[in-house]
Structure formats: C-alpha cells, structure tokens
Amino acid sequence: MTRASGAPPRGRGRRRDQLIAFGWLVLVWSLLWGDFSWGNLAGGALVAGAVLLFFPLPPVSFGGRLRPGPLFVFAVRFVGELVSASVHVARVAVQPGNRPRGAIIAVRLRVRTDLNLALTAEAISLVPGTLIVEVDRDVGVLYVHVFDTHGPQDLRGSRRRILAVERRLVHAVGSAAEVREVNADPVERRP
C-alpha cells in the first residue's frame, strides 16, 4: 500500500525524522555546554530521548521541492527586509517625541500546511517590528503584531508584505500545487 502525498510519514520515514531530531538535540545540548565530552554527549542523549518521548511533535511532511533560484531570491529579499526593518525600528527608537503605535492583524495564508505556517511565521518573526502573536492552524491564520502603524494603509501594507513572504517561501520550497495556489490568488498585489 502506498502512502498518499502529503500524508504523515510512517515506519522508516518517521523513525528517520526522529533520529534526525535526536541528533540535532544532542548537538544543541553539547553546543550549549560548549564541550563535546563523552559525559555531555551522554547527557544530551538522555535529554533528547526524554524530549522526544514526553513532548512528541506532530509529523510534518514535506511534499515540495527545493528550488535554488527562488530560494536565492527569498534569501536576498529577506536580508533586504531585515536591514530595512532594522533601520526603521532604530529611526523610530531615537526620534524624539515619537510614540509609535502597534496593531495586531490577522493574515490568512493561502497554503495551510503546517510546514508553510511554521516557515512563514519564523520568517516574519525574525524581521524587526513584527511578531507572531498566535497561529490558528485550522484555518491557516497568523495573528501578527506590527510596529509603528499610522493608519489602514500601513495595515494593508503589512498584510501584503506577509503574503509576499509566504509567496516567496512557497516558490522556494513548495510543491507545484502550492505554487499554483499562491499564484492563483496574489492577494498581496491588491490595493
């Protein structure tokens, strides 16, 4: 019996994912201690085993494919957004008498997979001035706190930027069906 595309991994695939997570946890444990001794590796193995046993994560399947060109475009645009947002936040922070206003906006993503929600939320949270407040997995909505808003046009601009990040991510790592889905509904281009 074959597994449907997008279904959670079973058997060997699930064990492989757990083994990869185990290895990463042991590595992070050793890096936090700053020493790769046998004792730290054993302690990391115990902690990693306990984490995976008591806090299992739902399986996340990857049905897309890695596209180097769009991934490069995503990386360049992401670095540009980091620099631009950092300059904006710094300018607002040192501007005398300015009292920036924040807002929380709901942004419904077009691709509602757990992987897309996680990647988009991470990319958005890393940019200064934006922070994910909550994620509604059932309907694919990110609730995002945005910094220094002056009116509805700023909220629309923030929503368009978040959807543009999702589009670039899907183009970089999404499946063909997911790419068609974000291309069919280019919400970020609407006024």
Side-chain angles (χ1 to χ4, degrees), residues 28-124:
V28 167
W29 179 266
S30 297
L31 289 173
L32 286 173
W33 281 101
D35 183 22
F36 285 96
S37 68
W38 288 110
N40 275 343
L41 290 175
L46 286 173
V47 169
V51 166
L52 291 174
L53 179 65
F54 296 116
F55 304 106
L57 294 173
V60 176
S61 61
F62 177 66
R65 83 174 230 243
L66 190 63
R67 295 175 188 86
L71 186 60
F72 179 74
V73 169
F74 170 77
V76 169
R77 293 287 305 266
F78 182 71
V79 169
E81 288 177 6
L82 282 176
V83 171
S84 173
S86 297
V87 168
H88 176 76
V89 169
R91 183 184 56 78
V92 169
V94 297
Q95 192 174 22
N98 186 16
R99 296 187 63 151
R101 293 178 36 192
I104 296 177
I105 59 173
V107 181
R108 183 182 303 270
L109 299 183
R110 293 158 292 191
V111 177
R112 296 184 184 145
T113 64
D114 285 344
L115 183 62
N116 184 56
L117 283 168
L119 290 176
T120 305
E122 280 298 319
I124 297 304

